[in-house]
Amino acid sequence: MKKRGIKIDKQKKGVITIFTLLSVVFIIMCFYSSSFRSFYNITNLLVQCVPLACVAIGQTFVIVSGGIDLSVGSTISICTAIASKLLNTDSVFEAFIGSMLILIMGIFIGLINGVGINFLNVPPLITTLCSSTILSGLALYILPIAGGRINKDFARFIFRKWTIISMPLIILLIIFLIMRTILYKTSIGTGFYAIGKNRQIAKSMGVNVRRTGIIAYVIAGFCAAITGLLLACRMRVGDPTCGVPFTMDSITASVIGGTSMSGGVGLLSGTIAGAFLIGMLSNVMNNLAVNQFYQYVLKGGLLIVAMIVYSISGQIERKRNERSN
Amino acid sequence: MNENVMREVIDMINKRIPLKLTLLIFATICMVLIQYILVPGSVTLGQFMIVSRQASALGIIALGQAIVILVGGIDLSVGSIVMTTNLFCIASMRGSNDYLLYGLGLCFLIAVLVGFFNSVGILYLGIAPFVMTLCTMTILQGICYVYTQGAPTGSAAPMIRSLGTGYFCKIPYSTIIWVVLAFVSIIILKLTTLGRKIYAVGGNSRAAELSGINSKAIITFAYIFSAILSMIAGVILSGYLNISSLTVGGDYVNNSLAAVLIGGNAISGGKGGIIGVVFGAFLMTYLLAILTMLGIGEVGKLIVQGIVIFTVVALQGIRQKS
């Protein structure tokens, strides 16, 4: 137990870096642009970042356990497509039942991914790539073009605002607290870090490797389904291709937040900060009227800068350890 | 031929073909039979040549991807290199042979730079290959969008156009280039020390370094090789399409990964060969061609493609275990 505490303390340094970066950008922009610091923009910004933050939490679970999930984008797409059919009712109760069904479907997709990876021994990359292809095909089958309708009252309820606090933020907070408990306080959570670091050793230490691996993908599928619901409620229609950018963005958010692609390292708070940084950056660029095409260049640049910062701080850490030894 | 070469060839026939290629050859025969039964009279050599021309761009990219995966990396930037090459090739040639060398030189330079950039990030900044090449991909996309402002123009030089669409003795030029490059890759991997070093670095880079291999140089070579092959594929595609498009590279990242893994190469590196990858790329294109012939739409294609790739890789996993 004591050892786990130390490990998280080390990781926290990375999270502090990312939060510092986030607040520096935020404060500079607040001074610089009056439209950025406007109440309306900041509330909007917070709501805009929630879907990415939500899916990135799921992605973090998978990356921490040593895998990768390329199917989250298609899961989001198919969830909005199904939502536009299931939530196309007049009664809020039916819409609620429909959204529960969508969450169950997200879990089911994660389960299929997990079983393919852990029982059929297909590499995570290829399993999730295949399920991504199949799901995007199914999404196009369900809804060939963007359309459908989401129950108005349900969508309003999901996007309700009380001054700066809004319903999506509360949803994100609840998910964060639940996932935090799972990752840090339970034995399954420790299992994620263990199988991410070294599967063989984790197995010999008594971790149920297959079950833990499957749960990681189930969580990713669940988070993606929630993101799909949020997007559907925001757009109030379904869109069979709206999830595409979320796959890479969710990986970027986790990695910027200090998650290591080789597995076993990563914190949820870092991921959320990474997601907000990406969201804020595109907001900032719109605010400064930067050509939107530059956003691609800047997103890549931000990722490289974050990686360089982590690699330098890692090297300093290592040198300090060598010196003390 | 010296004795070593003979032994290599015999080893290849003995080991590689029974273990890894039976499934692929079986799958190809099955698909030919399916095509023969469902669309009678369509199985001709000419049709195979057309499929192979369509497969050539993917096939060439997959060769580079295979070498990168062999050294234990992954290259997500291949698609955007294809896009960048397509863009600069078309824009700089302005439909005339006079600018041919200038255009090709520019593309080559870009490819080498991108490959070098990837390897510097991975080796000297310690960034994970997946993340580093993802960055490169995003940045290249951004450069393409900024350069064209979203509206690319121009047309390819006539020589490039004939490269993409022309035939030599009923075999498309692009297929010939693909086969030649595949042979070059096989020779590099099987018959040179560089190839041995590639396998060694992919198997265990620390052990390779300790036994005197400059693993950084090998990894740099792999990424530059992959970038150059993607550039060649981009040039061939430019000739075939004769326009530049901002969506041309989209599918190649996923499809090249799928082709490499269908070919029986391990994603963790150090295991696999080139013949399987060539088969993998051909099979994927052939599958799409059959589905098109059967009149199956985009939806069916995506679903069948996903299921087939998964099944092939899963079956290989079961075979390797037993």
Side-chain angles (χ1 to χ4, degrees):
Chain A
M1 283 309 269
K2 205 179 170 189
K3 226 170 190 179
R4 196 174 69 185
I6 290 167
K7 195 174 76 185
I8 286 173
D9 272 347
K10 257 186 191 172
Q11 293 178 10
K12 263 184 188 156
K13 278 183 187 165
V15 176
I16 292 167
T17 320
I18 186 81
F19 268 106
T20 318
L21 192 60
L22 188 67
S23 34
V24 164
V25 175
F26 185 76
I27 291 167
I28 289 175
M29 278 312 294
C30 280
F31 276 114
Y32 187 78
S33 155
S34 63
S35 60
F36 182 84
R37 66 170 173 260
S38 72
F39 182 72
Y40 182 76
N41 185 49
I42 288 174
T43 7
N44 243 350
L45 174 63
L46 288 175
V47 172
Q48 271 170 3
C49 298
V50 168
L52 179 58
C54 194
V55 66
I57 287 177
Q59 188 71 261
T60 307
F61 271 83
V62 174
I63 297 179
V64 160
S65 67
I68 191 160
D69 194 345
L70 299 181
S71 69
V72 286
S74 305
T75 311
I76 292 169
S77 300
I78 198 168
C79 284
T80 63
I82 291 179
S84 72
K85 300 275 177 194
L86 279 184
L87 272 58
N88 192 354
T89 59
D90 287 327
S91 89
V92 178
F93 180 69
E94 277 176 33
F96 180 73
I97 298 291
S99 58
M100 287 299 127
L101 284 177
I102 287 167
L103 294 186
I104 290 168
M105 199 194 65
I107 289 173
F108 186 66
I109 291 169
L111 197 66
I112 292 175
N113 278 334
V115 167
I117 291 158
N118 290 289
F119 283 95
L120 299 174
N121 294 323
V122 179
L125 197 73
I126 211 77
T127 310
T128 54
L129 196 64
C130 290
S131 57
S132 163
T133 318
I134 295 170
L135 288 174
S136 59
L138 285 176
L140 283 171
Y141 174 73
I142 294 165
L143 197 73
I145 47 164
R149 189 176 65 92
I150 306 289
N151 185 298
K152 215 191 262 173
D153 297 325
F154 184 75
R156 262 193 204 141
F157 173 72
I158 293 287
F159 272 82
R160 202 155 167 201
K161 276 181 194 169
W162 300 275
T163 61
I164 199 147
I165 308 283
S166 53
M167 200 65 180
L169 275 181
I170 294 174
I171 293 173
L172 179 65
L173 191 70
I174 293 170
I175 292 171
F176 173 66
L177 289 177
I178 294 172
M179 295 305 170
R180 214 188 108 84
T181 320
I182 294 176
L183 192 58
Y184 306 144
K185 308 280 182 204
T186 64
S187 58
I188 296 172
T190 318
F192 291 134
Y193 285 103
I195 67 170
K197 274 280 180 212
N198 192 325
R199 250 181 125 82
Q200 295 303 324
I201 294 176
K203 199 171 187 180
S204 62
M205 297 290 276
V207 177
N208 190 338
V209 172
R210 282 178 168 168
R211 198 189 63 184
T212 316
I214 289 175
I215 289 172
Y217 286 93
V218 166
I219 289 173
F222 177 73
C223 289
I226 289 179
T227 308
L229 269 180
L230 284 174
L231 282 181
C233 288
R234 194 170 80 188
M235 299 183 293
R236 300 213 186 157
V237 290
D239 181 353
T241 54
C242 70
V244 176
F246 281 92
T247 310
M248 288 305 172
D249 279 358
S250 66
I251 296 170
T252 312
S254 315
V255 171
I256 287 180
T259 311
S260 157
M261 284 304 285
S262 49
V265 178
L267 291 177
L268 291 180
S269 45
T271 300
I272 291 179
F276 275 85
L277 192 61
I278 293 173
M280 196 162 79
L281 216 67
S282 78
N283 185 295
V284 163
M285 274 182 274
N286 289 338
N287 220 303
L288 298 178
V290 178
N291 183 341
Q292 59 152 337
F293 295 137
Y294 281 106
Q295 291 190 9
Y296 286 93
V297 183
L298 279 167
K299 212 190 268 176
L302 171 75
L303 192 49
I304 290 188
V305 169
M307 288 298 91
I308 291 172
V309 168
Y310 284 128
S311 111
I312 289 171
S313 64
Q315 274 168 8
I316 291 170
E317 187 90 0
R318 224 171 293 142
K319 270 182 193 159
R320 206 177 285 163
N321 283 346
E322 277 168 15
R323 231 174 265 163
S324 65
N325 284 344
Chain B
M1 279 221 189
N2 59 31
E3 212 183 323
N4 260 352
V5 177
M6 284 306 290
R7 202 178 297 151
E8 288 291 340
V9 173
I10 292 166
D11 266 5
M12 228 161 70
I13 294 167
N14 278 349
K15 282 182 188 165
R16 302 278 168 212
I17 292 181
L19 265 173
K20 298 215 166 125
L21 288 185
T22 21
L23 196 70
L24 291 175
I25 292 169
F26 180 70
T28 318
I29 293 169
C30 275
M31 276 159 68
V32 173
L33 281 177
I34 290 170
Q35 192 196 345
Y36 185 74
I37 293 163
L38 292 178
V39 196
S42 70
V43 185
T44 59
L45 198 64
Q47 192 254 343
F48 258 91
M49 286 303 149
I50 291 170
V51 172
S52 75
R53 182 174 68 192
Q54 281 169 355
S56 60
L58 173 63
I60 291 168
I61 296 167
L63 295 176
Q65 185 75 266
I67 302 237
V68 170
I69 289 181
L70 273 181
V71 297
I74 191 167
D75 194 348
L76 300 185
S77 64
V78 286
S80 49
I81 295 174
V82 169
M83 183 170 94
T84 317
T85 311
N86 172 242
L87 208 71
F88 281 93
C89 186
I90 298 261
S92 60
M93 282 176 189
R94 282 167 270 174
S96 145
N97 274 341
D98 303 342
Y99 298 103
L100 183 71
L101 280 179
Y102 166 67
L104 287 181
L106 186 70
C107 291
F108 186 78
L109 204 70
I110 292 172
V112 172
L113 270 178
V114 171
F116 190 68
F117 184 65
N118 276 335
S119 52
V120 165
I122 291 159
L123 294 170
Y124 294 97
L125 301 176
I127 303 173
F130 193 96
V131 180
M132 184 62 210
T133 51
L134 182 67
C135 292
T136 320
M137 180 179 102
T138 323
I139 292 175
L140 277 180
Q141 270 174 357
I143 289 173
C144 287
Y145 279 118
V146 170
Y147 177 73
T148 59
Q149 293 298 318
T153 53
S155 64
M159 264 177 86
I160 297 289
R161 217 179 304 161
S162 69
L163 194 74
T165 55
Y167 287 86
F168 174 80
C169 296
K170 290 190 179 172
I171 303 172
Y173 283 128
S174 42
T175 309
I176 297 173
I177 296 173
W178 178 24
V179 172
V180 168
L181 286 173
F183 269 109
V184 170
S185 314
I186 290 173
I187 288 168
I188 289 176
L189 280 184
K190 299 289 174 196
L191 301 180
T192 64
T193 48
L194 180 63
R196 288 273 156 242
K197 285 174 183 171
I198 286 174
Y199 279 105
V201 171
N204 188 335
S205 110
R206 180 101 186 98
E209 190 124 343
L210 289 177
S211 54
I213 293 171
N214 185 352
S215 69
K216 283 184 176 171
I218 303 291
I219 292 173
T220 311
F221 165 80
Y223 281 97
I224 292 178
F225 187 75
S226 165
I228 290 173
L229 286 193
S230 306
M231 168 236 147
I232 294 172
V235 169
I236 288 174
L237 265 180
S238 309
Y240 183 63
L241 297 171
N242 197 23
I243 52 156
S244 54
S245 156
L246 287 168
T247 55
V248 71
D251 295 335
Y252 285 113
V253 182
N254 292 350
N255 285 351
S256 66
L257 283 175
V260 171
L261 291 171
I262 284 179
N265 293 14
I267 191 79
S268 49
K271 273 180 206 162
I274 291 295
I275 302 173
V277 176
V278 173
F279 260 96
F282 182 77
L283 252 153
M284 284 187 52
T285 318
Y286 189 39
L287 181 71
L288 285 182
I290 291 179
L291 292 176
T292 311
M293 252 183 267
L294 295 174
I296 291 170
E298 185 65 25
V299 172
K301 272 184 199 168
L302 287 171
I303 295 170
V304 172
Q305 206 183 355
I307 292 171
V308 168
I309 294 171
F310 185 80
T311 317
V312 172
V313 179
L315 284 176
Q316 277 170 348
I318 291 165
R319 271 184 67 93
Q320 271 163 9
K321 236 200 270 173
S322 62

